[in-house]
C-alpha cells in the first residue's frame, strides 16, 4: 500500500498510503479508525531530536465518514487532517510538519491513514522528505567532550 518508501525514513523519497477501498489494509482500530495503512519505524531518540516531513492528505470520502491521517511518535498522536478538517472530498495541499522532542522517546514513529465508520471509499496520505535528526544522548555527548578536552591537552603538551 505504499510506494517508493525510503528505508529508515531518510532521503527525499516519498510514499502514498491508502486507507481502503479493496486495498490490502490492516485494522486501525487502535487509532479510532476501521481499516487503513500504517507505515512504522522504531527509533530511540534523545530530547531535542527533530522529526520533519512534508505531507498531503486527500479525503476520498464525505461527511459523516471522517477518514483521517495521523502521525504517532512514541505514545504521542498528532492528527494531521481528516474529512472533518478538509471537508467532503477535500485536500490539504502540501504541508510541512516539524516537531522537536521535549524528552527522549524509544518506540515507533508511525504514519497512519484510515477509513472511519466505513470501508467503501479510500482517502490517501502522501508523505515526502521525511527526516529524523537525532541529538546525541547526554552520556555520548559527555564522552565526546571529554575526548576533545584530552586531545586539547595532548596538543598543548606537544606544542610546549
Amino acid at each position: 500500500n505504499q510506494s517508493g518508501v525510503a528505508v529508515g525514513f531518510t532521503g527525499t523519497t516519498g510514499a502514498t498510503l491508502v486507507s481502503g477501498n479493496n486495498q490490502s489494509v490492516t485494522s486501525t482500530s487502535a487509532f479510532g479508525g476501521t481499516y487503513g495503512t500504517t507505515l512504522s519505524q522504531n527509533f530511540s531518540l534523545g530530547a531535542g531530536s527533530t522529526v520533519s516531513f512534508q505531507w498531503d492528505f486527500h479525503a476520498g470520502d464525505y461527511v459523516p465518514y471522517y477518514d483521517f491521517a495521523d502521525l504517532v511518535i512514541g505514545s504521542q498522536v498528532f492528527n494531521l487532517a481528516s474529512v472533518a478538517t478538509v471537508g467532503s472530498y477535500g485536500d490539504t495541499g502540501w504541508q510541512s510538519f516539524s516537531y522537536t522532542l521535549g524528552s527522549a522517546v524509544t518506540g515507533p514513529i508511525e504514519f497512519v491513514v484510515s477509513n472511519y465508520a466505513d470501508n467503501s471509499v479510500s482517502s490517501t496520505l502522501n508523505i515526502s522528505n521525511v527526516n529524523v535528526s537525532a541529538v546525541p544522548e547526554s552520556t555520548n555527548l559527555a564522552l565526546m567532550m571529554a575526548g576533545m578536552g584530552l586531545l586539547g591537552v595532548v596538543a598543548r603538551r606537544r606544542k610546549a
Side-chain angles (χ1 to χ4, degrees):
N1 299 328
Q2 55 262 1
S3 60
V5 175
V7 176
F9 297 162
T10 59
T12 58
T13 304
T16 299
L17 308 180
V18 181
S19 68
N21 195 20
N22 300 320
Q23 300 292 320
S24 175
V25 295
T26 59
S27 172
T28 55
S29 61
F31 304 101
T34 50
Y35 288 96
T37 301
T38 301
L39 177 62
S40 180
Q41 179 71 37
N42 282 321
F43 287 94
S44 290
L45 301 171
S49 298
T50 300
V51 176
S52 63
F53 59 93
Q54 279 77 49
W55 61 278
D56 172 41
F57 174 77
H58 176 74
D61 220 336
Y62 54 92
V63 174
Y65 302 105
Y66 297 108
D67 295 4
F68 60 88
D70 287 346
L71 168 69
V72 182
I73 301 175
S75 62
Q76 191 165 7
V77 179
F78 300 89
N79 180 255
L80 298 174
S82 71
V83 172
T85 59
V86 300
S88 298
Y89 307 108
D91 191 291
T92 60
W94 283 97
Q95 306 284 319
S96 292
F97 180 93
S98 183
Y99 179 71
T100 302
L101 280 67
S103 59
V105 172
T106 298
I109 295 177
E110 298 175 292
F111 293 95
V112 179
V113 63
S114 181
N115 284 332
Y116 178 81
D118 77 327
N119 289 317
S120 60
V121 185
S122 295
S123 293
T124 57
L125 173 64
N126 299 301
I127 56 174
S128 184
N129 300 318
V130 179
N131 187 11
V132 178
S133 60
V135 172
E137 292 292 331
S138 59
T139 55
N140 292 343
L141 191 57
L143 283 173
M144 186 174 69
M145 296 295 277
M148 288 186 163
L150 185 60
L151 286 174
V153 168
V154 170
R156 281 188 124 158
R157 285 190 177 175
R158 282 189 181 171
K159 198 174 190 182

